[in-house]
Amino acid sequence: MPDKIWLSGVRQLEKRRFLFPAALSVVGILLLISFLPFLLKFLGYEYVPSGQWVSDSYLPSLVVGLGLAALFFVPGAFFIYKRPKKGRDNTPYLLLFPFVGYAVGRIITVISIPMIIALLSGYQIAHVFTVSKSDGLARGKCTFPVSLKELPWFYDNLCYVPDDLRARMAPGDKIALAGRGTRFGVFVEQLGGLR
């Protein structure tokens, strides 16, 4: 009888040793997928999600975001409470994990997955957006920007728009962004104003 108790304890320990690295691997893969849009934008590939997709994906991205908030909370709690405290309370750090999980879920749903689809099976397409600002004042490293309505933060500015096109733009004007993409968004190769 004592052998059976000992064996079940070993199985429990083996299961824990497998589950924790697996959970960390899933979290790591999700973080990499959510980082892809920022990396491609940094490398100069301007991807813009379509306004229709941004509004259509609100509820699914909310559900995925909340699910990943819970998923990030569990390994985060395990990690925080199994670490030595070294004289301080690590509980405030635990509050960070659900927010990171929520942001990762929203980014993956609204931007990363459509961007990967556009990379793998995109075709020539154009999307029309409404200009919210075209004053040309540099915002960070984005010079000669045109701000677009209905888009999430970080994707609402189109950088390096030529002076002649930007000078003709006013708030409320339409701009067409063409390139390789899908109905979910486009990698911008050409742009032009519409009246």
Side-chain angles (χ1 to χ4, degrees), residues 74-97:
V74 173
F78 185 79
F79 181 71
I80 292 287
Y81 289 115
K82 293 296 180 186
R83 270 181 50 190
K85 293 192 182 208
K86 295 183 182 170
R88 66 178 189 272
D89 184 20
N90 291 331
T91 305
Y93 296 114
L94 186 59
L95 299 175
L96 181 67
F97 287 105

Side-chain angles (χ1 to χ4, degrees), residues 31-107:
L31 285 172
L32 284 174
I33 291 171
S34 68
F35 184 68
L36 180 67
F38 302 103
L39 176 66
L40 288 178
K41 188 160 186 152
F42 177 75
L43 293 174
Y45 295 98
E46 192 80 43
Y47 178 81
V48 180
S50 72
Q52 184 66 39
W53 171 248
V54 170
S55 64
D56 287 350
S57 67
Y58 178 76
L59 186 60
S61 68
L62 182 68
V63 170
V64 171
L66 291 174
L68 287 183
L71 178 72
F72 275 47
F73 180 78
V74 173
F78 185 79
F79 181 71
I80 292 287
Y81 289 115
K82 293 296 180 186
R83 270 181 50 190
K85 293 192 182 208
K86 295 183 182 170
R88 66 178 189 272
D89 184 20
N90 291 331
T91 305
Y93 296 114
L94 186 59
L95 299 175
L96 181 67
F97 287 105
F99 289 111
V100 170
Y102 179 76
V104 165
R106 294 289 303 254
I107 291 168

Side-chain angles (χ1 to χ4, degrees), residues 20-185:
F20 186 66
L24 283 180
S25 298
V26 168
V27 168
I29 290 169
L30 292 172
L31 285 172
L32 284 174
I33 291 171
S34 68
F35 184 68
L36 180 67
F38 302 103
L39 176 66
L40 288 178
K41 188 160 186 152
F42 177 75
L43 293 174
Y45 295 98
E46 192 80 43
Y47 178 81
V48 180
S50 72
Q52 184 66 39
W53 171 248
V54 170
S55 64
D56 287 350
S57 67
Y58 178 76
L59 186 60
S61 68
L62 182 68
V63 170
V64 171
L66 291 174
L68 287 183
L71 178 72
F72 275 47
F73 180 78
V74 173
F78 185 79
F79 181 71
I80 292 287
Y81 289 115
K82 293 296 180 186
R83 270 181 50 190
K85 293 192 182 208
K86 295 183 182 170
R88 66 178 189 272
D89 184 20
N90 291 331
T91 305
Y93 296 114
L94 186 59
L95 299 175
L96 181 67
F97 287 105
F99 289 111
V100 170
Y102 179 76
V104 165
R106 294 289 303 254
I107 291 168
I108 286 174
T109 307
V110 175
I111 298 166
S112 294
I113 292 174
M115 179 184 281
I116 292 169
I117 292 170
L119 276 172
L120 297 177
S121 64
Y123 47 88
Q124 283 302 115
I125 192 168
H127 290 286
V128 177
F129 296 92
T130 305
V131 174
S132 66
K133 220 181 344 177
S134 65
D135 54 16
L137 299 175
R139 292 175 191 87
K141 294 187 179 193
C142 181
T143 55
F144 313 117
V146 169
S147 296
L148 305 173
K149 290 183 181 177
E150 305 131 6
L151 292 178
W153 171 82
F154 197 71
Y155 291 91
D156 59 346
N157 285 325
L158 196 59
C159 301
Y160 310 111
V161 177
D163 285 333
D164 59 332
L165 180 61
R166 203 176 63 254
R168 292 181 284 158
M169 292 277 150
D173 284 352
K174 302 288 184 190
I175 186 169
L177 306 178
R180 182 179 173 93
T182 62
R183 68 181 187 92
F184 306 121

